[in-house]
Amino acid sequence: METTGPIAAGHEPASGEAELLRALRAGEASAAERLVAENIGRMLAVSRRLLGNEADAEESVQEAFLSAFKSLERFEGGSSLGTWLYRIAINAALMRRRSRGRRPEVGIDALLPAYEADGHRSGARRDAGSWASGEGAGSGHLESGEVRERVRRAIDRLPEDARTVLMLRDIEGLDTAATAHAIGISESAVKTRLHRARQALRTLLEQELGHG
Amino acid sequence: MVDDRATRPPCPQGGDATCQQVIEFLDGYVDGSIGDTERLVFEEHLRLCRGCAAYLAEYRASVAMARATATLDARPVPRGLVQAILKARAEADGRGKGLAGETPLG
């Protein structure tokens, strides 16, 4: 399990964090409880997102913390403890998901735009309508819990590789380098996968929210 | 600039770029990583092509909507999970008693 990554460079732990780290390495139970309590929320959220069910997410987070406790001596302070734990949580969730095997899925090419010989997009709408214009794209749409659930269902329909990159980049907010490191692919591959994932999501949302 | 996208025909001539070129490199336009010359070509095409202007709006909306789903996972931490993790840690360490004078874990 990785202990450091290309996250924040030159991080100097605040005095509070340095003391927490000292206490953790000394085996103080209250320090361990504080570490878990302060970080479990964010770790659980990303695990839920990557694994899609609560039971797997809780087990994955537990594995992440146990791995982190074993690796404390190797923590070099290249990032904050919270960032370090968060990355471990992502790794644990991705490993657990890989161990589950892949579910049958539609290839992403079927969700990408097709083009005519002259470079026009096939099936492009000729009228002025778009599910993303006017009221459809307003803040009311984004704030609706029902809409978010429908968007989540669309995301869940993405092929796994595309879904992972979209979740890490667009939802978790990891940068390209950190995403590449987490998944184990090149930064160029992350950019390509992300663009294809976004295009595919657009297609799915058009089906879910628009006119298809 | 007058927005005449609703009345003009859909992309009869998309400027110096085709719809395919614009869409396939749309990510660079959206994140600002393309050069000034390319950006001008993109913007000319988007001005001329209603279909691609709509596609860009939908692409951006898709990203925004994806980000908005983050709240779906921010549910409370299940009661007892923190203690379950600490207990597992203690068991993994092979320690069942308090450490450094701390209260024994329950």
Side-chain angles (χ1 to χ4, degrees), chain A residues 16-92:
Chain A
E17 183 158 295
E19 170 55 25
L20 175 59
L21 189 58
R22 182 210 63 75
L24 286 165
R25 286 171 170 162
E28 294 175 20
S30 61
E33 183 164 2
R34 179 183 157 194
L35 185 77
V36 174
E38 289 181 356
N39 292 281
I40 193 171
R42 189 182 184 205
M43 293 167 72
L44 194 55
V46 69
S47 301
R48 283 165 171 156
R49 198 163 296 134
L50 290 172
L51 291 167
N53 75 81
E54 188 70 14
D56 278 354
E58 290 181 21
E59 288 183 15
S60 182
V61 166
Q62 178 163 309
E63 288 165 6
F65 272 115
L66 293 179
S67 173
F69 284 128
K70 286 183 199 167
S71 305
L72 276 171
E73 293 305 320
R74 297 202 301 274
F75 175 67
E76 296 171 0
S79 66
S80 69
L81 274 170
T83 298
W84 178 67
L85 283 166
Y86 172 70
R87 295 306 169 79
I88 292 175
I90 289 174
N91 279 350

Side-chain angles (χ1 to χ4, degrees), chain A residues 27 33 48-49 54 58 69 115 119-121 126 130-131 141-142 148 152 170-171 195 198-199 202, chain B residues 10-11 19-20 23-24 50 55 58-59 62 65-71 73 75-76 78 83 89 99:
Chain A
E33 183 164 2
R48 283 165 171 156
R49 198 163 296 134
E54 188 70 14
E58 290 181 21
F69 284 128
Y115 301 96
H120 277 68
R121 182 165 58 95
R126 293 301 193 252
S130 167
W131 59 266
H141 225 201
L142 293 178
R148 288 183 201 170
R152 173 57 60 87
D170 284 343
I171 302 177
H195 183 42
R198 287 170 169 175
Q199 291 182 81
R202 183 221 145 260
Chain B
C11 191
C19 299
Q20 183 171 4
I23 291 173
E24 290 189 349
R50 191 165 65 237
Y55 193 93
E58 292 165 4
Y59 185 91
S62 300
M65 287 182 165
R67 288 181 179 144
T69 65
T71 58
D73 305 296
R75 300 188 297 280
Q83 291 305 319
R89 169 183 173 261
L99 304 171

Side-chain angles (χ1 to χ4, degrees), chain A:
Chain A
M1 184 75 72
E2 69 160 339
T3 56
T4 60
I7 315 160
H11 173 84
E12 285 294 327
S15 59
E17 183 158 295
E19 170 55 25
L20 175 59
L21 189 58
R22 182 210 63 75
L24 286 165
R25 286 171 170 162
E28 294 175 20
S30 61
E33 183 164 2
R34 179 183 157 194
L35 185 77
V36 174
E38 289 181 356
N39 292 281
I40 193 171
R42 189 182 184 205
M43 293 167 72
L44 194 55
V46 69
S47 301
R48 283 165 171 156
R49 198 163 296 134
L50 290 172
L51 291 167
N53 75 81
E54 188 70 14
D56 278 354
E58 290 181 21
E59 288 183 15
S60 182
V61 166
Q62 178 163 309
E63 288 165 6
F65 272 115
L66 293 179
S67 173
F69 284 128
K70 286 183 199 167
S71 305
L72 276 171
E73 293 305 320
R74 297 202 301 274
F75 175 67
E76 296 171 0
S79 66
S80 69
L81 274 170
T83 298
W84 178 67
L85 283 166
Y86 172 70
R87 295 306 169 79
I88 292 175
I90 289 174
N91 279 350
L94 291 177
M95 284 176 59
R96 176 169 281 256
R97 201 170 67 180
R98 280 193 284 269
S99 73
R100 293 194 305 207
R102 285 183 180 260
R103 64 183 185 195
E105 57 187 26
V106 174
I108 197 167
D109 286 342
L111 299 172
L112 298 180
Y115 301 96
E116 308 294 338
D118 61 359
H120 277 68
R121 182 165 58 95
S122 300
R125 292 178 62 82
R126 293 301 193 252
D127 62 28
S130 167
W131 59 266
S133 62
E135 294 178 1
S139 61
H141 225 201
L142 293 178
E143 288 168 4
S144 160
E146 182 197 339
V147 169
R148 288 183 201 170
E149 290 286 353
R150 293 169 75 183
V151 174
R152 173 57 60 87
R153 284 201 295 273
I155 293 172
D156 288 344
R157 289 170 58 194
L158 289 170
E160 186 173 291
D161 288 347
R163 188 170 67 251
T164 300
V165 169
L166 188 94
M167 283 186 169
L168 293 179
R169 286 283 287 116
D170 284 343
I171 302 177
E172 291 298 320
L174 267 64
D175 63 23
T176 301
T179 301
H181 188 77
I183 300 176
I185 60 176
S186 69
E187 292 187 28
S188 174
V190 167
K191 291 177 183 176
T192 299
R193 279 193 200 180
L194 178 62
H195 183 42
R196 289 162 66 87
R198 287 170 169 175
Q199 291 182 81
L201 179 60
R202 183 221 145 260
T203 300
L204 292 168
L205 288 177
E206 184 175 53
Q207 296 169 6
E208 186 75 41
L209 304 173
H211 304 289

Side-chain angles (χ1 to χ4, degrees), chain B residues 9 14 63 90:
Chain B
V63 175

